[in-house]
Amino acid sequence: QVQLVESGGGLVQPGRSLRLSCEASGSSLDDYAIGWFRQAPGKEREGVACISKGDGSTYYVDSVRGRFTVSRGRAKNTVYLQMSSLRPEDTAVYSCAADPRGLNYCSNFEYEYDYWGQGTQVTVSS
């Protein structure tokens, strides 16, 4: 079983960047597809990006494509979400999740993921 911890959130001005980290203990993240999800106040949680195990295929929801990049770190227990050109509507709690089945594909649907971190708050405001 893998335990996930997110970090890197905070308060940032519109147009600036943040890098979130998803760090694992108990297992290597190379054994999982990793998804990044966010939940804004009063809204449902949505998948924003993911990266598969195996070939490292990625997926981005339309609202973040071209601004966010998901990648695996050189250390096998970390996955990053680089967020650029941040907007106020990106404000949310961001969580990472692990899917042991995602070989050469990844999903932005919550039910595909077995393990979740607690989340980190990202606030975009001037």
Side-chain angles (χ1 to χ4, degrees):
Q1 186 169 345
V2 62
Q3 292 82 42
L4 304 174
V5 177
E6 303 91 342
S7 62
L11 172 64
V12 64
Q13 293 181 330
R16 302 298 292 268
S17 299
L18 275 178
R19 187 177 77 165
L20 304 183
S21 300
C22 175
E23 188 168 354
S25 60
S27 183
S28 167
L29 286 185
D30 281 356
D31 296 330
Y32 300 87
I34 301 299
W36 282 98
F37 294 79
R38 67 185 180 187
Q39 187 166 23
K43 295 187 176 181
E44 293 186 354
R45 185 158 56 186
E46 66 167 342
V48 296
C50 62
I51 186 166
S52 72
K53 66 178 182 180
D55 67 1
S57 300
T58 57
Y59 168 83
Y60 300 93
V61 71
D62 286 347
S63 60
V64 309
R65 188 174 294 118
R67 300 189 298 123
F68 290 12
T69 302
V70 58
S71 63
R72 294 187 182 271
R74 292 183 179 180
K76 295 187 176 184
N77 65 337
T78 307
V79 170
Y80 300 105
L81 183 68
Q82 178 69 46
M83 306 185 296
S84 303
S85 302
L86 283 162
R87 305 167 180 170
E89 54 263 40
D90 294 318
T91 295
V93 175
Y94 285 72
S95 301
C96 62
D99 168 16
R101 295 163 294 275
L103 178 62
N104 299 333
Y105 84 96
C106 63
S107 168
N108 68 327
F109 295 109
E110 294 181 52
Y111 64 83
E112 298 272 13
Y113 292 86
D114 294 350
Y115 307 103
W116 291 80
Q118 293 299 310
T120 185
Q121 176 70 46
V122 172
T123 303
V124 184
S125 175
S126 55

